[in-house]
Amino acid sequence: FEAQKAKGIPQSLRAKLDHLTRAEEADVAFVLLLKDMAEKTQGGATVVNLASVGAPTPSALLHWLDSRPAITDPASVFRDYVTQESMSKLQLQLERHRRSFS
């Protein structure tokens, strides 16, 4: 992303949320993820393109990250985007897998 395009990320996310297809609307985890991204980028988004010419060096990137405020409440920042139904199915599959080794 170019810096100018990065500034438009919050608006792009909101526009996408306003124009979801029926299939996308039915995907609860996808909708939750988009809403969370839109909320968290309201103040602007930071994009680091490590493949671009003039990309920051690893040490410069670490220095920049070190200057950012620390996350004091990870639960408020990192979320699971798995629906309860999907999580139940995964747990059932895991239990069946465990039993197959017994």
Side-chain angles (χ1 to χ4, degrees):
F1 278 101
E2 299 167 11
Q4 193 60 31
K5 285 184 181 179
K7 291 180 183 179
I9 288 174
Q11 294 80 9
S12 296
L13 290 167
R14 284 192 295 277
K16 178 61 182 171
L17 279 166
D18 291 340
H19 298 93
L20 295 174
T21 65
R22 287 185 188 201
E24 290 168 337
E25 286 176 354
D27 187 341
V28 176
F30 177 70
V31 173
L32 287 172
L33 177 63
L34 279 180
K35 284 182 179 179
D36 188 52
M37 290 170 61
E39 178 186 322
K40 288 190 171 108
T41 59
Q42 279 181 338
T46 301
V47 176
V48 179
N49 184 351
L50 299 176
S52 68
V53 174
T57 63
S59 61
L61 183 57
L62 286 173
H63 180 71
W64 177 81
L65 287 171
D66 193 42
S67 70
R68 310 299 299 164
I71 296 171
T72 56
D73 182 15
S76 70
V77 179
F78 299 102
R79 298 195 181 130
D80 292 328
Y81 295 99
V82 178
T83 62
Q84 188 59 44
E85 180 184 2
S86 294
M87 185 59 78
S88 296
K89 288 178 183 178
L90 287 170
Q91 288 172 336
L92 181 60
Q93 288 175 344
L94 180 59
E95 185 58 33
R96 286 179 181 164
H97 182 71
R98 284 182 186 157
R99 288 181 189 169
S100 71
F101 288 105
S102 302

